[in-house]
Amino acid sequence: MSKANSSTDTGARTSEAAAGHAYEGTAAEREQERVDHAAGERLSTAPREERPETETESGSGVPAMGVIGWIRWFWRQLTSMRVALILLFLLSLGAIPGSLIPQTSVDDLKVQNFKDQHTTLTPVYEKLQLFDVYSSVWFSAIYILLFVSLIGCIVPRTGQFVGQLRSRPPGAPKRLTRLPAYTTWRTEAEPEAVREAALGVLGKRRFRAHPVGDAVAAEKGYLREAGNLVFHIALIVMLVAFAAGQLFKSEGGKLVVEGDGFANTLTQYDDFKSGSLYDSDSLAPFSFVLDDFVGTYEESGPQRGTPRTFEARVKYTEGADGPERKSVIRVNEPLVVDGTKVYLIAHGYAPVVTVRDGKGKVVLRSSVPLLPIDNNITSTGAIKVMDGYRDKNGAKTQLGFKAFFVPTFAGHGKGQMFSQFPGAEFPVLALSAYRGSLGVDSGLPQNVYQLDTSKMKEFKDEDGELLKKMLRPGEKLDLADGEGSITFDGIEEWASFQISQQPGNGWALGGAVAAIAGLAGSLFIQRRRVWVRAVRGADGVTVVEMAGLGRSESAKLPEELGDLAAALITTAPVAPEKTDAPEKTDAPEKTDAPEKTDAPEKPEAPASPDAPGPSDDATNEAGSRPVHPADAPAEGAEK
């Protein structure tokens, strides 16, 4: 649209202070209107920083705040965005040792092994509570402060945002030329028709618009602040979900051999941990049986032995007398029953052995799970015969066997067997035999994969050495002096499951998605206002002015204003230019030539295009050609 060059502005030439002053209103007569639209005058709902009054005592120059003043100052700092970001960073930083250092709440055995291997660091870590990071005093303090900071920030901002939604955009400033984006043109349409058309155009572009005096005020981009609030609320939801998950969670482990089952009762767990507010009566009633475990591996090539699939095929029953269903549990694909998830976390081999006494009586027939120690599932463990065995004299005693198993025997290496493939292609079980007291009657807990031989004696071979032998399936080891035997019957596979119930996971996921959506809205949505003024000029032609202002400087604002102006021109077209007839002047007197009274007066020739004429400012102000605000020269530029 055309306009006076002295008032042309495109957004890159106005300082932030001048734009803010024009946005809030510059004339004294707008004071009452600014009061009426106090909530709408602010494009941000961020609380304003207040400074205490600097009342000095004895000329010291120190602000006198008092107790209430200090409390208010502390609260303002705590609820500021700066402190909230610092606390969020500290919370993320505090979670790092919880991920790198073994945690008591996750695995007591790993914590104990770490303490045994790092005797120097252990006292320091214990004082810093690094083995219990998420329940430590310092982590809880950061967590609670962040929670309070977010709530204290959201509550006032929400009230102010609601006030803005209920208010209308303020009226147009007195001088629209001072705004970052501005354009003007003249039209023969009536001012009322222009304003009515402006309401329609702005409404189609989803602006909130209403007439104010001789102008139309419109605003767009309220979702920017809404996205900001959604982001903060989502953070609170995530914190609440995390806290609820820690307080009400339950988590336990169970090792199941093929053919065996599990019922979700407290006594069935190998280990069980729960939150401080969890009730064991809340365990979901269900059970399952492990029918088969299938593991496949790469057979050849450089990736030979790499796992491909792990599947635990189970039959499960929901409730006490529910129908039996089949399912397959895979890695990261748990079985979900009544809000409880059953994860597949590990697997291994369980050799099937039969132990007989000296009279041939079977005292133990069982599959014994062994603990894998490498990627080829080389496994170690112990076979314990606690009851039913009698020696050749008829005295009750206990037997123990140290077991070492390889699924694919590859020969001896460094004094012991090793496996070259995780699949059971050539299984071998090595056993060494002991007798005596296993120590299970002392009441102290024992590791099922370790054999305590402190109160046991070795079985001797013919050379007086420890009795040991490598067995293939179907082979047996005879104990000395006819004390009995142990037979390696075959192998089965076992799977270890984690049964967990965490009520806050869904809320945490929803909060994370909402936080991303809110953050995207607050970053990419621009808050801006547009004014359209239409008044009748002194010559009776309507003068249309359009101006826009955004919360932050943006190159898209002039472009958007130009699009709005182009849409409005279809209803209020540019008025044609008016050209005045050239003035007639008397011919100069010629002293030498005879006077001709009947000759017509000759008008002056029109000025050439290069000759100086009326100022460009006057031409643009009264002209009819529209100027796009993005192409208009900056204010203060050389004319």
Side-chain angles (χ1 to χ4, degrees):
M1 322 293 86
S2 64
K3 54 165 289 178
N5 286 344
S6 60
S7 61
T8 302
D9 199 348
T10 63
R13 59 42 174 171
T14 303
S15 66
E16 184 178 352
H21 181 64
Y23 199 100
E24 299 293 334
T26 59
E29 59 268 24
R30 297 183 51 79
E31 182 66 25
Q32 183 60 41
E33 182 180 348
R34 185 170 66 245
V35 173
D36 295 338
H37 298 280
E41 290 292 329
R42 295 186 298 272
L43 283 180
S44 173
T45 60
R48 294 184 176 181
E49 189 74 16
E50 298 179 7
R51 298 180 180 274
E53 296 181 1
T54 56
E55 298 177 0
T56 59
E57 299 178 0
S58 304
S60 61
V62 179
M65 297 180 64
V67 177
I68 302 300
W70 279 108
I71 293 175
R72 293 180 61 189
W73 177 86
F74 177 79
W75 177 253
R76 286 195 300 269
Q77 298 304 313
L78 180 61
T79 56
S80 65
M81 180 63 66
R82 178 178 62 256
V83 173
L85 292 175
I86 292 175
L87 291 173
L88 189 61
F89 173 75
L90 291 177
L91 193 69
S92 304
L93 195 64
I96 294 177
S99 303
L100 300 178
I101 301 174
Q103 298 295 295
T104 305
S105 59
V106 178
D107 195 330
D108 290 329
L109 183 59
K110 286 186 177 180
V111 172
Q112 188 59 46
N113 292 336
F114 184 91
K115 291 180 178 180
D116 295 340
Q117 297 173 5
H118 304 84
T119 56
T120 304
L121 290 176
T122 295
V124 178
Y125 283 5
E126 287 179 341
K127 290 182 179 180
L128 297 177
Q129 298 178 299
L130 296 183
F131 295 116
D132 300 278
V133 169
Y134 303 109
S135 60
S136 63
V137 175
W138 55 269
F139 190 86
S140 300
I142 298 174
Y143 186 90
I144 294 173
L145 285 175
L146 178 60
F147 193 83
V148 173
S149 176
L150 290 174
I151 293 178
C153 179
I154 288 174
V155 171
R157 292 178 71 122
T158 302
Q160 295 175 15
F161 179 62
V162 172
Q164 288 188 0
L165 291 178
R166 297 178 62 183
S167 64
R168 289 186 171 189
K174 185 176 181 180
R175 298 182 180 178
L176 293 178
T177 56
R178 300 186 63 180
L179 298 187
Y182 174 81
T183 186
T184 183
W185 74 96
R186 293 158 57 87
T187 181
E188 294 180 350
E190 296 295 326
E192 294 79 6
V194 174
R195 291 194 287 269
E196 188 68 25
L199 283 173
V201 170
L202 293 169
K204 291 180 180 179
R205 303 295 178 93
R206 298 188 300 276
F207 277 85
R208 295 176 57 190
H210 73 110
V212 182
D214 59 358
V216 173
E219 189 164 7
K220 190 177 182 180
Y222 281 87
L223 290 181
R224 178 186 181 92
E225 182 61 23
N228 194 10
L229 292 175
V230 167
F231 173 74
H232 287 78
I233 294 173
L235 288 181
I236 292 181
V237 171
M238 293 173 63
L239 292 175
V240 171
F242 178 78
Q246 293 298 313
L247 294 174
F248 296 96
K249 74 173 183 178
S250 68
E251 186 176 273
K254 179 63 179 179
L255 186 148
V256 183
V257 181
E258 290 175 329
D260 291 343
F262 166 79
N264 192 27
T265 59
L266 201 58
T267 57
Q268 287 279 301
Y269 284 92
D270 295 333
D271 58 87
F272 183 83
K273 295 176 181 179
S274 63
S276 57
L277 299 181
Y278 183 79
D279 185 4
S280 59
D281 294 335
S282 302
L283 288 172
F286 72 91
S287 61
F288 67 86
V289 176
L290 178 61
D291 285 340
D292 187 25
F293 181 88
V294 178
T296 59
Y297 310 90
E298 190 68 33
E299 296 286 346
S300 60
Q303 294 185 343
R304 171 178 165 80
T306 303
R308 293 306 179 196
T309 59
F310 290 138
E311 295 182 352
R313 300 170 182 175
V314 300
K315 294 178 181 178
Y316 72 96
T317 301
E318 185 174 355
D321 52 357
E324 186 176 74
R325 298 185 177 91
K326 292 184 178 181
S327 181
V328 178
I329 306 175
R330 300 180 179 89
V331 178
N332 295 328
E333 296 182 17
L335 169 67
V336 182
V337 183
D338 194 16
T340 301
K341 295 183 179 181
V342 182
Y343 293 91
L344 174 65
I345 59 174
H347 89 287
Y349 291 102
V352 181
V353 297
T354 300
V355 179
R356 295 178 173 85
D357 61 11
K359 297 180 180 181
K361 177 184 176 181
V362 176
V363 295
L364 176 68
R365 177 177 287 131
S366 176
S367 54
V368 182
L370 302 180
L371 184 66
I373 59 176
D374 61 19
N375 292 333
N376 286 326
I377 318 185
T378 302
S379 307
T380 183
I383 301 172
K384 301 176 182 181
V385 181
M386 293 178 285
D387 299 310
Y389 177 79
R390 294 178 181 269
D391 61 14
K392 61 181 180 179
N393 299 321
K396 290 183 178 182
T397 188
Q398 295 175 331
L399 299 180
F401 301 88
K402 289 184 177 181
F404 193 84
F405 174 79
V406 290
T408 302
F409 180 70
H412 295 275
K414 295 183 180 180
Q416 65 180 10
M417 301 185 301
F418 67 93
S419 176
Q420 64 177 0
F421 189 73
E425 295 185 351
F426 194 80
V428 175
L429 176 65
L431 297 174
S432 54
Y434 299 83
R435 60 183 172 183
S437 174
L438 293 170
V440 295
D441 299 329
S442 62
L444 299 176
Q446 281 191 352
N447 190 329
V448 295
Y449 302 107
Q450 295 179 350
L451 183 66
D452 183 7
T453 60
S454 59
K455 297 181 180 180
M456 304 189 77
K457 295 181 179 180
E458 300 175 349
F459 279 98
K460 303 294 184 178
D461 58 11
E462 296 177 353
D463 298 329
E465 300 293 333
L466 173 64
L467 180 64
K468 53 185 178 181
K469 186 178 181 180
M470 293 189 299
L471 305 176
R472 289 275 294 143
E475 297 178 349
K476 70 176 181 178
L477 169 64
D478 291 321
L479 303 180
D481 301 328
E483 294 285 348
S485 64
I486 179 171
T487 305
F488 178 26
D489 298 325
I491 56 172
E492 291 180 350
E493 294 191 66
W494 58 262
S496 181
F497 299 94
Q498 177 180 294
I499 300 94
S500 64
Q501 183 179 5
Q502 291 184 332
N505 285 350
W507 285 97
L509 177 61
V513 173
I516 295 175
L519 184 61
S522 64
L523 291 177
F524 298 109
I525 297 177
Q526 183 188 10
R527 185 84 175 272
R528 64 270 195 198
R529 288 173 180 167
V530 172
W531 291 276
V532 181
R533 174 176 286 147
V535 295
R536 193 178 301 278
D539 56 355
V541 180
T542 301
V543 178
V544 182
E545 290 182 292
M546 294 186 68
L549 175 64
R551 173 62 183 173
S552 57
E553 185 175 332
S554 173
K556 293 184 178 180
L557 182 61
E559 180 180 350
E560 184 177 27
L561 189 69
D563 294 339
L564 291 171
L568 186 58
I569 284 178
T570 59
T571 303
V574 178
E577 297 183 1
K578 294 182 180 180
T579 58
D580 297 331
E583 295 181 359
K584 296 182 179 181
T585 58
D586 294 335
E589 295 182 357
K590 296 181 179 180
T591 55
D592 298 335
E595 195 176 274
K596 294 182 180 180
T597 58
D598 55 350
E601 294 183 359
K602 185 177 181 180
E604 278 187 353
S608 69
D610 298 331
S615 68
D616 291 339
D617 290 352
T619 302
N620 287 339
E621 184 66 30
S624 59
R625 289 176 297 171
V627 177
H628 195 287
D631 300 330
E635 182 179 3
E638 184 177 352
K639 301 295 187 289

